[in-house]
Every structure is written in C-alpha cells, then in structure tokens.
Amino acid sequence: MIHEILPVGILQCNCSIFGEESSREAIIIDPGDDIDDILAVLRRHSLTVKAIVITHGHIDHIGGAAKLKAVTGAPVYMNQKDQELYDHLDMQAAWLGMEVPERTGIDMEARDGDSLQLNATAFHVLHTPGHTQGSISLWIPAENKLVAGDTLFRDSIGRTDLPGGDGRQILRSIRDKLLTLPEEATVVPGHGLQTTIGREKERNPFLTGL
Ligand SMILES: [Zn+2]
C-alpha cells in the first residue's frame, strides 16, 4: 500500500494519501488545503481517488474537500454529527483569519462500524467523539495503522475547548476505541509526528490512570 502523509495548510494538518498498487485507487483523508500538492502525489503514483474521508469538520481538515471533489469527482465521507461545524466554516475561517473556502455536500455518512474498501484492504470507521461530536478515526488492520484525526497525538490529545468539544468524552473514546488496538499499531495523528498505541499508553501524560 502506498501511504504518503502531506502536512497541508497553515496548521499543517496531516493529509493521508493511501494508494492501492494493483487497482491504482486511492483514499484521501483530511485534504485540508494545498490540493495542488495532493494532486501532484496522485499523478506521480497514477492514482484515481475513490473516496475523500474527513476525520472531523474543522477547517484545517476539511477546507480543501470541495476543491478535491470538484477535480476528482470522488464522494466525501464525514460523520453527520459534524455537519453543523461544517455549516459554520465561515466562522472557523474568521477565527483563523483565513479566506472562507468553498463548501461541498457530504455524500456518505461515516458511521461507527462502517468500512471503506480499497481493493482487499478495509478502512474501518471508529466514532471517537470528544474533540468534536462527529470525530472519527480510521483503523486499517491490514496495515496495522490508525489515522486518528485530532483525537490522539504523540504525547497529547485533541483540544476540547472548541464548540462540540468534551474532555471526558475524548478520554472515553481513546480508552474504549483506540487503546484496545494492538500496541504495535502505528498512529498517524492529525498533526505532528507518528506514534504507536503502545507508546501513548505508556508515555502520554493525558492518559495516565485511564
Ligand atoms: Zn480539529
């Protein structure tokens, strides 16, 4: 499996590009910005986008979805509980002093227990609310990889002081949905460096006593 991680936009959101070698199909997770750079990666590997998946409705993760969808025609997946955040993209842009990006419709609802297929590889949707109410993580057992959005970071967890955030809920999500994954599983957070489930269990100061 091809997997490129591109930090995009002013907040350097980790956009994941997964490409399956035989079908040349791709899943793009969190195309927050810099769509031309994402398209260049797709061209370099001769990939066609099958799905655009949004881990949550914050502008740095979803800002480029409309543009990427317009170019590729791929459907956008997001949990419906973040629709309201997405509806207020203009407000999010104002907080960050950014231009308001174009918006698009959500084509498919990403619910807990759903899965997307990239040829034989399954991407399982885990609903992990707390950073936002519609936050999801993607668990890819065949790759032993978790794409965690802004739920779990190396040495940290997602902030819960923005609208829709809930400090107790994010810890419950991490404990029940993420820390139950294999310790050696790689975690690709929404920002910053990769880590593993085992490392965060042992060292993440926000998770002590969970
Ligand atoms: Zn966020």
Side-chain angles (χ1 to χ4, degrees):
M1 180 77 72
I2 297 161
H3 183 198
E4 295 218 14
I5 301 167
L6 234 52
V8 296
I10 51 166
L11 296 177
Q12 295 283 279
C13 160
N14 284 327
C15 170
S16 270
I17 299 163
F18 285 94
E20 201 279 318
E21 285 97 340
S22 59
S23 64
R24 308 316 291 185
E25 287 184 327
I27 288 179
I28 313 293
I29 305 174
D30 287 351
D33 203 347
D34 298 333
I35 298 308
D36 292 339
D37 296 340
I38 295 169
L39 293 172
V41 172
L42 293 168
R43 269 194 306 273
R44 176 151 50 79
H45 294 291
S46 308
L47 296 170
T48 304
V49 182
K50 190 184 173 189
I52 299 165
V53 183
I54 307 299
T55 61
H56 64 290
H58 282 156
I59 191 167
D60 51 325
H61 295 257
I62 200 172
K67 189 174 172 189
L68 185 61
K69 180 178 160 180
V71 177
T72 62
V76 176
Y77 289 70
M78 188 180 78
N79 187 274
Q80 197 251 322
K81 291 203 161 91
D82 270 6
Q83 182 67 52
E84 204 184 320
L85 275 178
Y86 193 34
D87 290 341
H88 295 107
L89 203 63
D90 51 345
M91 220 142 66
Q92 295 191 47
W95 292 337
L96 292 166
M98 285 171 64
E99 256 179 70
V100 186
E102 218 182 297
R103 281 179 63 248
T104 180
I106 302 305
D107 302 295
M108 303 286 274
E109 195 193 335
R111 287 163 307 196
D112 191 63
D114 283 354
S115 66
L116 286 86
Q117 288 289 135
L118 205 49
N119 213 358
T121 305
F123 290 60
H124 297 286
V125 175
L126 310 175
H127 182 217
T128 47
H131 174 63
T132 65
Q133 287 307 299
S135 281
I136 59 165
S137 304
L138 279 305
W139 167 234
I140 311 140
E143 300 289 308
N144 210 17
K145 243 174 215 179
L146 175 79
V147 178
D150 284 358
T151 298
L152 179 62
F153 297 115
R154 184 178 172 109
D155 294 325
S156 190
I157 62 172
R159 59 189 290 185
T160 53
D161 56 331
L162 296 172
D166 183 325
R168 282 167 188 260
Q169 194 183 32
I170 196 171
L171 289 174
R172 250 193 333 264
S173 290
I174 293 170
R175 184 192 63 198
D176 298 345
K177 300 272 182 66
L178 304 188
L179 298 188
T180 49
L181 298 172
E183 304 230 325
E184 34 334 314
T186 300
V187 179
V188 181
H191 303 266
L193 297 173
Q194 296 184 32
T195 181
T196 62
I197 292 292
R199 185 189 181 282
E200 295 319 300
K201 249 186 197 169
E202 201 175 301
R203 297 205 209 164
N204 189 316
F206 294 89
L207 307 182
T208 45
L210 269 195

